[in-house]
Amino acid sequence: AHDFMVLLSDCRFADARADIGGAACVTGSAFVDFESCVFENTTADEAGGAAASLSRGGQLTAVHSRFLGSRSLGEGGGGAVLTGDASTTVVQGSLFEGTSAEGNGSGGALRSTGSSATLVFGGQSFGSTASLRGGFVSADESAVVEVRGSGVFSSRAGRE
């Protein structure tokens, strides 16, 4: 059973800031759907520049959404989205542009960690960067990442 289900449609999150999940942090066994939403210049001091899914058995879904200039500043990474704690993130037909994992972080757009799963279908990424690993996406521990029918352009990782 799920704690709750939330649908956010045609929303704009701009200049939001938090420790984890700059605009949204999903916990518990929640299902949260973002449809046609824009995350612009959102920042997380630790991880998940726009959003974080840390819900055991829960799911964060972004459909036809845009992540523009989202960034994480800490080692947790995930410039746009952090998925962890046995949760799932599904991204369909969404755009990541100029997202970054700074401060020794990995996954310029997406980071999946700790038995979590990140699934991307028909996404586009332009200019995502990470200071450590995975300019577009990074997975560690027992995480699973699947990317299909997507384009990744001008991403980079590592110190210069």
Side-chain angles (χ1 to χ4, degrees):
H2 306 297
D3 287 344
F4 60 92
M5 297 176 76
V6 176
L7 169 64
L8 298 162
S9 181
D10 297 308
C11 295
R12 181 172 180 249
F13 303 91
D15 302 312
R17 187 171 190 151
D19 288 338
I20 297 175
C25 186
V26 180
T27 61
S29 58
F31 271 51
V32 177
D33 295 343
F34 296 97
E35 292 183 5
S36 300
C37 291
V38 176
F39 297 85
E40 188 172 7
N41 299 320
T42 56
T43 302
D45 292 327
E46 179 53 35
S53 179
L54 304 172
S55 55
R56 287 196 179 275
Q59 181 171 300
L60 182 150
T61 302
V63 178
H64 302 295
S65 293
R66 296 182 293 157
F67 299 86
L68 310 172
S70 296
R71 62 194 187 126
S72 64
L73 304 179
E75 291 183 14
V81 180
L82 168 71
T83 307
D85 217 10
S87 63
T88 301
T89 294
V90 178
V91 178
Q92 296 176 323
S94 294
L95 169 70
F96 299 89
E97 186 172 322
T99 60
S100 62
E102 302 169 15
N104 218 23
S106 295
L110 304 164
R111 182 164 187 211
S112 194
T113 183
S115 300
S116 65
T118 298
L119 312 171
V120 180
F121 304 102
Q124 298 287 316
S125 175
F126 298 92
S128 294
T129 61
S131 63
L132 195 57
R133 294 184 296 270
F136 172 61
V137 64
S138 176
D140 52 47
E141 298 171 21
S142 55
V144 173
V145 173
E146 181 178 339
V147 179
R148 291 184 184 208
S150 299
V152 177
F153 306 94
S154 299
S155 70
R156 67 182 194 279
R159 303 207 191 289
E160 296 183 22

